[in-house]
Amino acid sequence: MHEKILILDFGSQYTQLIARRVRELNIYSEIHPWNKCPEIDANVKGVILSGSPFSVRDPQSPKPELNFKGDLPVLGVCFGAQFMAHNYGGEVLPSSIREYGRANLSFVDQDNPLTTGLSKGSQVWMSHGDTIKSIPDSFEIIASTADVQVAGYHIKGEETYGIQFHPEVYHTLEGTKLLENFLVNICGCSQDWTPLSFVEETVASLREKLGDDTVILGLSGGVDSSVAAVLLNKAIGDRLHCIFVDNGLLRKNEFESVLDSYKHMGLNVKGVDASQRFYDELKGISDPEGKRKAIGKVFIDVFDEESKKDKDATWLAQGTIYPDVIESVSASGGPSATIKSHHNVGGLPDFMKLKVVEPLKLLFKDEVRRIGRSLNMDENILGRHPFPGPGLGIRILGDITPEKVAILQEVDHVFISALKEEGLYDDVWQAGAIFLPIQSVGVMGDERTYENAVALRAVTSTDGMTADWCHLPYEFLAKVSNRIINQVKGINRVTYDISSKPPATIEWE
């Protein structure tokens, strides 16, 4: 068992980012709801308390029992720091002005193990409406900014610390150094959680869990399901039976090209064309959640039928990753609200006799790619942009018809091909086109047209939890727009989405 850091989630938008920063230091971390803290065993080296949208003065705010404080190193971040200050005799009050954004450290205690090596004047990121006005006598201030005197504190005689700023956010320039101080110097973590160790441990765990059973895996052609397939193949070999379903909502020529890409990977793959079944189920449905659920239902039906053909199959493997789980049910059922459902999250209906195995469900996208590289997988597969499970079904706003799918496939093909031709594909984390539920007036030659509009979307990100719109060159966008309008019949207007996540999401539905 690996050493691990527990992160107690109070509902902060940054909780998952804390986990990623810990893992970037090759230390395993787990997120748990603040009110469902697991048993503290010998593998737990420290605990981090996250931020929260709550105020500690709110009667409904989280009130954890920190039974481990004093025995284990603890780092409270934002709300976590305010809670400990408030709970142990300090005073937390509303800030006179909302403290949000960049600030600079005006004082740093270089003798304290948490803040040693941080620079006076170093930029940090604030995001809070309350502030710690006073601390108990047993606390000492270890960091301040011009506006926040208690930007960091230490409880004397304990390895317990609180910081008002967010070290997990990139805008805190020395945040990694502070986290390393806590995790390595204070908690004593050995930094041995690496892609190689994950592969070795996961393969061993899969062998023990699956025994001599047969597993069906739904392949999509994307990074997640491909890495899951290679891991399972390494664990159980030819007892892994892969199925790639054409749901009629894939990219242009995707079904054939994906099947071809797996020929040289030693995987047992079967292609199933179920596109008409998906179209029939989706007919007349415009609601985004309704479409997701309809697509998920047909996937389940198809896999149920295929599993019955395979009499030995007892497991269904899925390429679920951490952001899928977080956005569907929040991190481990924590306080965060559900953003949207994912068709591959939440288990299977009772009528299916398959058990679920998800070897990647605790990994972020960038971690999945690192695992794939450690398995010597083809970079063409690992470097592919993410593509949503419901496919073009959630990139067509409104109801779905085969005619709309065909148009969007052509638009998407022009856009993605142009990104590759211009050497921009690898600069983009995810790109695609959205079919808009409007028609607009246009002029083509001497004729007035009234045709469809599309939006192009390209973002930069590391894990999909946050994203910024990609600043593609104007000349490139002009060229793509011209090519789409000239080559794709039925489109006379092209727009470019410049929304970031948050407040928008990467997909429109």
Side-chain angles (χ1 to χ4, degrees):
M1 295 291 291
H2 265 292
E3 302 170 342
K4 60 186 173 184
I5 295 294
L6 296 184
I7 302 169
L8 296 192
D9 179 19
F10 297 99
S12 168
Q13 63 176 320
Y14 296 137
T15 301
Q16 292 79 34
L17 198 51
I18 297 174
R20 287 197 62 254
R21 294 291 173 266
V22 174
R23 293 184 188 189
E24 285 173 0
L25 290 166
N26 294 329
I27 298 165
Y28 180 65
S29 61
E30 289 181 355
I31 298 173
H32 293 274
W34 67 268
N35 55 353
K36 295 181 181 178
C37 181
E39 182 179 346
I40 304 294
D41 58 33
N43 296 310
V44 178
K45 304 293 285 183
V47 181
I48 297 177
L49 311 178
S50 84
S52 175
F54 285 99
S55 164
V56 295
R57 297 172 295 102
D58 185 340
Q60 305 302 316
S61 66
K63 295 176 175 56
E65 295 182 8
L66 306 182
N67 299 324
F68 44 79
K69 190 182 80 70
D71 297 324
L72 277 177
V74 176
L75 174 62
V77 177
C78 198
F79 175 90
Q82 293 175 356
F83 173 79
M84 289 192 290
H86 174 77
N87 197 52
Y88 299 120
E91 186 177 27
V92 177
L93 296 175
S95 303
S96 55
I97 58 171
R98 179 167 170 76
E99 294 163 342
Y100 184 87
R102 295 172 177 83
N104 298 94
L105 296 178
S106 58
F107 163 72
V108 178
D109 184 353
Q110 291 288 345
D111 294 326
N112 189 274
L114 183 70
T115 48
T116 185
L118 300 190
S119 308
K120 182 180 178 181
S122 182
Q123 177 179 290
V124 296
W125 184 261
M126 296 287 189
S127 180
H128 56 98
D130 290 345
T131 194
I132 301 170
K133 299 301 291 186
S134 65
I135 54 177
D137 292 340
S138 59
F139 287 41
E140 59 181 341
I141 296 174
I142 59 174
S144 303
T145 70
D147 296 320
V148 181
Q149 183 183 17
V150 188
Y153 65 74
H154 170 224
I155 299 182
K156 301 171 187 175
E158 299 180 13
E159 297 291 8
T160 303
Y161 305 84
I163 50 174
Q164 187 61 79
F165 53 92
H166 289 268
E168 70 275 19
V169 175
Y170 283 120
H171 300 301
T172 298
L173 300 183
E174 295 180 330
T176 300
K177 174 61 179 172
L178 183 144
L179 288 173
E180 186 176 25
N181 284 344
F182 178 71
L183 299 167
V184 179
N185 300 339
I186 296 172
C187 296
C189 294
S190 55
Q191 298 179 278
D192 62 352
W193 195 69
T194 63
L196 181 59
S197 70
F198 176 85
V199 169
E200 292 173 348
E201 291 162 18
T202 301
V203 167
S205 174
L206 288 170
R207 285 174 179 161
E208 181 179 356
K209 181 175 186 175
L210 302 175
D212 295 326
D213 293 346
T214 297
V215 178
I216 291 179
L217 168 67
L219 277 175
S220 69
V223 177
D224 306 330
S225 65
S226 299
V227 173
V230 173
L231 270 174
L232 282 157
N233 189 56
K234 190 176 179 68
I236 63 173
D238 59 9
R239 284 183 286 111
L240 172 66
H241 299 172
C242 300
I243 299 171
F244 179 45
V245 176
D246 183 359
N247 60 5
L249 304 168
L250 302 173
R251 285 179 156 140
K252 184 179 179 180
N253 301 325
E254 185 93 340
F255 187 55
E256 297 78 12
S257 63
V258 166
L259 286 175
D260 184 65
S261 70
Y262 286 120
K263 284 181 180 178
H264 310 293
M265 294 176 62
L267 298 175
N268 177 16
V269 184
K270 176 184 179 182
V272 178
D273 183 356
S275 53
Q276 191 58 51
R277 292 179 60 176
F278 282 88
Y279 290 148
D280 291 343
E281 188 73 26
L282 287 163
K283 189 173 182 179
I285 300 176
S286 297
D287 176 68
E289 277 294 291
K291 288 193 286 188
R292 284 178 176 270
K293 293 185 186 304
I295 292 167
K297 175 185 178 299
V298 180
F299 265 115
I300 293 295
D301 290 344
V302 171
F303 279 107
D304 186 42
E305 293 168 12
E306 293 300 324
S307 68
K308 288 175 180 175
K309 295 177 185 177
D310 192 333
K311 302 300 183 184
D312 297 326
T314 52
W315 294 85
L316 173 64
Q318 299 186 130
T320 308
I321 63 172
Y322 213 10
D324 296 339
V325 177
I326 293 164
E327 291 195 336
S328 291
V329 294
S330 84
S332 303
S336 305
T338 297
I339 298 172
K340 58 191 174 186
S341 63
H342 291 256
H343 75 273
N344 59 334
V345 175
L348 299 175
D350 292 337
F351 69 80
M352 283 198 74
K353 304 306 178 185
L354 297 175
K355 296 174 283 187
V356 175
V357 57
E358 298 168 313
L360 306 177
K361 70 177 182 179
L362 292 179
L363 298 182
F364 292 97
K365 178 72 74 173
D366 55 322
E367 294 177 313
V368 174
R369 287 195 169 101
R370 288 201 294 270
I371 298 302
R373 291 187 180 99
S374 74
L375 291 165
N376 298 315
M377 291 178 60
D378 188 337
E379 195 61 38
N380 288 327
I381 291 177
L382 296 178
R384 291 190 66 181
H385 290 175
F387 189 66
L392 300 181
I394 58 169
R395 292 183 178 176
I396 296 173
L397 306 193
D399 68 317
I400 296 170
T401 65
E403 293 75 23
K404 291 179 182 178
V405 172
I407 290 173
L408 189 57
Q409 284 177 330
E410 293 298 330
V411 173
D412 179 87
H413 180 68
V414 170
F415 186 28
I416 299 300
S417 298
L419 286 170
K420 292 178 178 178
E421 290 166 9
E422 298 292 329
L424 295 169
Y425 185 83
D426 292 337
D427 296 333
V428 176
W429 192 78
Q430 183 170 332
I434 297 89
F435 188 101
L436 302 180
I438 58 173
Q439 290 184 311
S440 67
V441 175
V443 178
M444 292 186 176
D446 294 325
E447 295 183 7
R448 178 179 182 274
T449 63
Y450 194 61
E451 294 182 325
N452 301 292
V454 293
L456 304 182
R457 178 78 157 141
V459 300
T460 56
S461 182
T462 53
D463 54 26
M465 296 305 302
T466 61
D468 196 9
W469 64 278
C470 193
H471 295 238
L472 296 174
Y474 291 149
E475 296 79 10
F476 170 80
L477 291 172
K479 185 187 302 183
V480 170
S481 174
N482 186 61
R483 194 180 296 178
I484 289 171
I485 292 171
N486 284 328
Q487 294 181 10
V488 184
K489 187 176 181 180
I491 300 295
N492 71 353
R493 190 173 299 272
V494 176
T495 66
Y496 187 56
D497 181 353
I498 58 170
S499 309
S500 296
K501 176 185 178 180
T505 55
I506 296 175
E507 299 294 341
W508 279 41
E509 292 190 338

